[in-house]
Amino acid sequence: MKLIFSRFGGKYKKSKEIIEHFENHKIYVECFLGSGAIFLQKPSVDDCTSVLNDLDPLVYNIFTKVQELCLNNKTFNNDDYDWIPDKTLWNKFRDEIKKGDKDLYKSLYVTHHSFNGIGNSFTQSRFKNYKYNKNLSIYSDILKNVIIKQYDYKDIINQYDSEDTLFYLDPPYDIALKKNYYEYQSGINFIEMVDILKNIKGKFVLSLDITPLTTELFKDFNCIEIDFNYNTRKKDKIVKEYIIKNY
């Protein structure tokens, strides 16, 4: 299924390879939802509870509002809104969202016209066609029964951990954290994350960059190297990343 929006670090192109590592489960939890690339490509599982979580208000707003549209059989007509990139308007919307505004159009506008889709800085040249042209009604079935949260990942793990739970974690990478790239995830501590994941009842799959720190900290888990090529990188630049799991 196509993404509602795209952003740097998304796993759309590697979704099939990552999902192949998933074990059987009755509860599925994404601790760092982002663009939702893995969830939107994941095959449905009968009688499975899906929990989608992200601290970023842009991500939370977009997924909750699209879910509301689908549940209420309402439509979102892209042509009813102004999509022309404008820095003043972008800053206005971004400030309003930070103050608690959950408007879908504003959240899509800020994401659509931000550098790498992260929402930290404005750009008017991300897309050749500046208009947002996704059909949001196609997400009706996949989102209708999911639980969407805006919690710290530690609280989500604590709340939903069980022997039947599969956690997928795609946190900001080590390199990104050092650059403070993600505004709402800057407090992540990988030492703390390792301690938490060592003690959960459920299974987890974790996507992460390969650095001296991550290699050392996660060495006791099953670390698998995969090739990766991000949309924002040159096509001929392949990097290695980890898929880490506790089974």
Side-chain angles (χ1 to χ4, degrees):
M1 180 171 285
K2 293 181 179 179
L3 302 178
I4 300 174
F5 62 94
S6 61
R7 59 167 22 189
F8 179 74
K11 299 299 186 292
Y12 185 80
K13 288 187 175 182
K14 282 293 179 178
S15 58
K16 182 178 179 180
E17 185 173 355
I18 292 170
I19 291 168
E20 286 175 350
H21 290 274
F22 287 4
E23 292 280 298
N24 293 335
H25 54 278
K26 295 181 180 178
I27 303 172
Y28 175 73
V29 181
E30 288 209 15
C31 299
F32 305 90
L33 179 60
S35 67
I38 298 300
F39 172 74
L40 293 173
Q41 301 304 313
K42 177 180 173 287
S44 62
V45 177
D46 291 340
D47 300 320
C48 175
T49 299
S50 295
V51 183
L52 310 180
N53 178 74
D54 206 295
L55 271 177
D56 190 330
L58 291 172
V59 174
Y60 178 77
N61 292 351
I62 290 171
F63 274 89
T64 54
K65 291 304 179 182
V66 171
Q67 184 186 53
E68 285 180 16
L69 283 175
C70 296
L71 290 175
N72 295 313
N73 294 316
K74 293 183 179 180
T75 59
F76 182 86
N77 188 347
N78 301 314
D79 293 332
D80 290 342
Y81 300 95
D82 179 8
W83 299 101
I84 297 174
D86 180 278
K87 188 173 184 179
T88 300
L89 187 63
W90 187 91
N91 282 323
K92 178 178 180 293
F93 286 171
R94 185 169 181 263
D95 289 343
E96 290 171 350
I97 290 166
K98 282 188 170 186
K99 293 176 182 177
D101 194 328
K102 301 184 183 303
D103 184 76
L104 176 59
Y105 161 62
K106 294 176 183 178
S107 299
L108 287 171
Y109 185 94
V110 171
T111 303
H112 195 62
H113 295 307
S114 64
F115 182 68
N116 285 338
I118 300 298
N120 288 347
S121 58
F122 170 79
T123 180
Q124 61 181 7
S125 58
R126 188 172 177 226
F127 299 102
K128 290 182 180 179
N129 181 1
Y130 63 83
K131 294 185 71 174
Y132 179 84
N133 55 8
K134 301 291 180 70
N135 176 11
L136 299 182
S137 64
I138 67 171
Y139 304 99
S140 177
D141 287 340
I142 196 169
L143 288 179
K144 64 181 179 181
N145 293 320
V146 304
I147 299 168
I148 304 174
K149 299 287 189 178
Q150 191 182 11
Y151 291 172
D152 185 283
Y153 84 94
K154 298 186 291 293
D155 296 327
I156 281 291
I157 289 177
N158 184 59
Q159 182 174 350
Y160 289 98
D161 186 27
S162 75
E163 293 180 354
D164 296 319
T165 304
L166 173 66
F167 295 100
Y168 175 63
L169 299 92
D170 184 19
Y173 283 6
D174 183 27
I175 293 175
L177 288 175
K178 289 174 180 176
K179 296 180 179 179
N180 199 26
Y181 199 67
Y182 291 88
E183 181 178 2
Y184 296 95
Q185 306 285 4
S186 59
I188 291 175
N189 183 312
F190 286 127
I191 296 175
E192 182 181 45
M193 183 178 290
V194 168
D195 288 340
I196 291 170
L197 294 177
K198 279 183 176 180
N199 292 290
I200 63 172
K201 300 173 185 176
K203 295 181 174 67
F204 78 83
V205 175
L206 166 68
S207 294
L208 205 57
D209 54 344
I210 300 175
T211 69
L213 176 65
T214 60
T215 299
E216 174 62 25
L217 289 179
F218 291 89
K219 64 183 179 182
D220 292 334
F221 297 112
N222 183 8
C223 298
I224 302 162
E225 293 188 12
I226 63 170
D227 293 329
F228 212 103
N229 183 356
Y230 286 107
N231 292 334
T232 53
R233 291 178 173 166
K234 295 180 180 179
K235 291 183 179 180
D236 59 351
K237 186 174 182 180
I238 303 296
V239 298
K240 294 283 187 180
E241 294 192 354
Y242 277 141
I243 292 178
I244 303 171
K245 53 188 185 179
N246 62 343
Y247 51 91

